[in-house]
Amino acid sequence: MSITNIVLISIIALLLIYCSKLKLRQKSDHEKALLLESQQLQVSNNDIMEYMRDISSQFIPYMEDKGIDFSIKCTPETMMGWIDIEKTDKIVLLLLSEMGKHAVKDGKIAIDVDTNPSYDHINFRVRDNGPKLTNMCLLMVHQLVYMHQGTINASYYEGQGNTIVIVLPIKKDAFQLANTSGATSTAFHIPSNVELHVPTIELPEGYKEGENPLDAIIQQAYVSADQEYLKRATRCIHEHMSDSDYDREAFAADMGSSVSTLYNKIRALTGKNITNFVRDIRIKKACQLAKANPDLRVSDIAYQVGFKDPKYFATSFKRVMGVQPKEYFLKVREMK
């Protein structure tokens, strides 16, 4: 090979290396932009203990289905403070989803939330007796905690399980100070005690390069949790189908939340208020009863689906189905 060819090959190689570095740097800048965008805190004043009970209680049906002993304890019962609801949601969602997914037989998961003596931080502890949490889960939780100006300590002991201790500030001044100092743009810290095995990290199905994997995984988990919540809410209504005295207070109690939290959740997931959500499920059941027993009277079906007054049932039925129940039942009989 001539010297000219060697020089030419060397130049091409250098150009390729330069282009590769430039591409990596551009990708890194894009990822930094995503990270900085996601680190903007949106704190609001909330009853933190009530909120922690509500968000954690959404996992009760999931844990029951898997036979997991699941407990939630908040001390004191109520306490106001400033938190970023969205980021705290994600922290709880990630930890409970991961622990529940890999729970062992006779699994146990416990959540304890309390405050420090000066009432300016909350201590959030999650424990289980399952296998070690995955690196991806730990890294994402660490990222979310640091975004929230908090600290986290994750430990695992063979045969005993995981213990995650998270401390979050809850005073408004802490976040105002962070905004002034620019702390909300702190770079993502990888804890030194977490081993990284990047090739084993699984991204969600349908993930495309350039997307934020954290948002994609969180969204996938949210969809699953929301579906479970609606299934549980629907099951509550069906279990009290003929009970005309089953009101929103009883419904909220069965869901382990306050009426306001239940209202906001149902509204966000379905676009309906609690009354219309319950009404629509009852009317749907009425249609099923009519098809299974076409000879039943309208009043009989009304009572079976929790309506005291057949006239009110008829009004509600028409509002949902667009026709009077007598017309609907007549068509059902004709189809038989």
Side-chain angles (χ1 to χ4, degrees):
M1 182 180 297
S2 65
I3 296 178
T4 302
N5 289 338
I6 293 174
V7 172
L8 183 61
I9 291 173
S10 299
I11 293 174
I12 293 174
L14 289 172
L15 287 173
L16 288 173
I17 293 172
Y18 174 80
C19 290
S20 176
K21 288 184 176 180
L22 179 61
K23 183 178 180 180
L24 286 173
R25 190 178 68 181
Q26 290 173 340
K27 183 177 181 180
S28 176
D29 289 340
H30 175 64
E31 290 172 345
K32 282 183 179 179
L34 288 174
L35 180 59
L36 291 175
E37 180 181 355
S38 67
Q39 285 181 329
Q40 299 303 310
L41 289 172
Q42 299 291 332
V43 295
S44 57
N45 197 19
N46 302 272
D47 186 331
I48 297 176
M49 297 305 176
E50 180 182 7
Y51 159 75
M52 294 301 290
R53 279 193 300 270
D54 287 347
I55 185 63
S56 302
S57 295
Q58 294 179 25
F59 283 84
I60 290 177
Y62 172 73
M63 300 299 183
E64 288 178 346
D65 289 343
K66 298 201 66 174
I68 299 171
D69 181 2
F70 182 48
S71 65
I72 305 165
K73 181 181 179 182
C74 296
T75 307
E77 287 289 317
T78 180
M79 188 181 69
M80 300 300 294
W82 291 79
I83 57 172
D84 185 316
I85 293 292
E86 181 184 0
K87 288 179 174 55
T88 310
D89 272 354
K90 291 177 180 180
I91 292 170
V92 177
L93 180 67
L94 281 167
L95 289 174
L96 294 185
S97 297
E98 187 72 11
M99 287 179 172
K101 179 180 178 181
H102 301 289
V104 297
K105 185 180 179 181
D106 298 325
K108 294 181 180 180
I109 299 176
I111 293 179
D112 293 293
V113 185
D114 58 24
T115 183
N116 64 337
S118 57
Y119 298 100
D120 57 4
H121 286 78
I122 58 166
N123 306 308
F124 175 38
R125 302 176 186 86
V126 189
R127 303 188 305 274
D128 72 353
N129 62 343
K132 185 178 181 181
L133 294 175
T134 63
N135 294 326
M136 174 61 87
C137 175
L138 289 174
L139 289 174
M140 288 191 294
V141 172
H142 271 82
Q143 183 179 11
L144 289 164
V145 171
Y146 278 115
M147 288 177 189
H148 206 294
Q149 310 303 316
T151 62
I152 178 172
N153 179 42
S155 59
Y156 171 75
Y157 296 97
E158 190 70 34
Q160 298 182 31
N162 300 277
T163 297
I164 311 296
V165 180
I166 296 170
V167 179
L168 299 177
I170 58 171
K171 290 295 184 181
K172 190 175 182 180
D173 292 348
F175 301 104
Q176 291 174 332
L177 178 61
N179 288 333
T180 302
S181 64
T184 53
S185 297
T186 302
F188 174 30
H189 297 278
I190 299 177
S192 58
N193 62 337
V194 176
E195 297 179 2
L196 293 180
H197 301 285
V198 177
T200 67
I201 292 177
E202 296 181 4
L203 294 176
E205 184 178 354
Y207 168 73
K208 298 178 181 179
E209 186 175 358
E211 293 180 351
N212 188 339
L214 172 60
D215 288 347
I217 293 171
I218 290 292
Q219 182 59 37
Q220 189 178 68
Y222 265 128
V223 169
S224 177
D226 288 343
Q227 289 173 345
E228 288 297 326
Y229 189 89
L230 284 179
K231 286 180 183 177
R232 184 184 173 205
T234 303
R235 187 163 61 244
C236 283
I237 303 305
H238 278 282
E239 288 173 353
H240 299 85
M241 184 58 67
S242 62
D243 184 1
S244 58
D245 294 323
Y246 189 66
D247 55 17
R248 59 175 61 200
E249 285 75 19
F251 186 16
D254 286 344
M255 293 295 290
S257 67
S258 63
V259 173
S260 60
T261 299
L262 176 64
Y263 176 89
N264 291 333
K265 190 70 174 180
I266 295 296
R267 172 71 78 177
L269 296 179
T270 69
K272 305 173 184 178
N273 59 31
I274 296 176
T275 301
N276 290 343
F277 176 75
V278 174
R279 178 203 65 190
D280 290 357
I281 292 176
R282 294 186 186 277
I283 296 301
K284 182 178 179 180
K285 181 62 177 179
C287 294
Q288 294 172 349
L289 289 173
K291 292 177 181 178
N293 305 280
D295 294 329
L296 284 175
R297 296 179 302 177
V298 172
S299 58
D300 292 333
I301 291 181
Y303 297 138
Q304 288 187 42
V305 296
F307 285 84
K308 292 181 179 178
D309 184 359
K311 291 183 179 179
Y312 180 62
F313 168 72
T315 301
S316 299
F317 191 96
K318 184 175 181 180
R319 192 167 292 166
V320 175
M321 302 302 296
V323 296
Q324 288 289 343
K326 287 185 177 180
E327 297 176 47
Y328 183 89
F329 294 171
L330 179 60
K331 292 180 181 179
V332 169
R333 293 190 188 100
E334 292 174 349
M335 293 173 61
K336 287 291 184 179

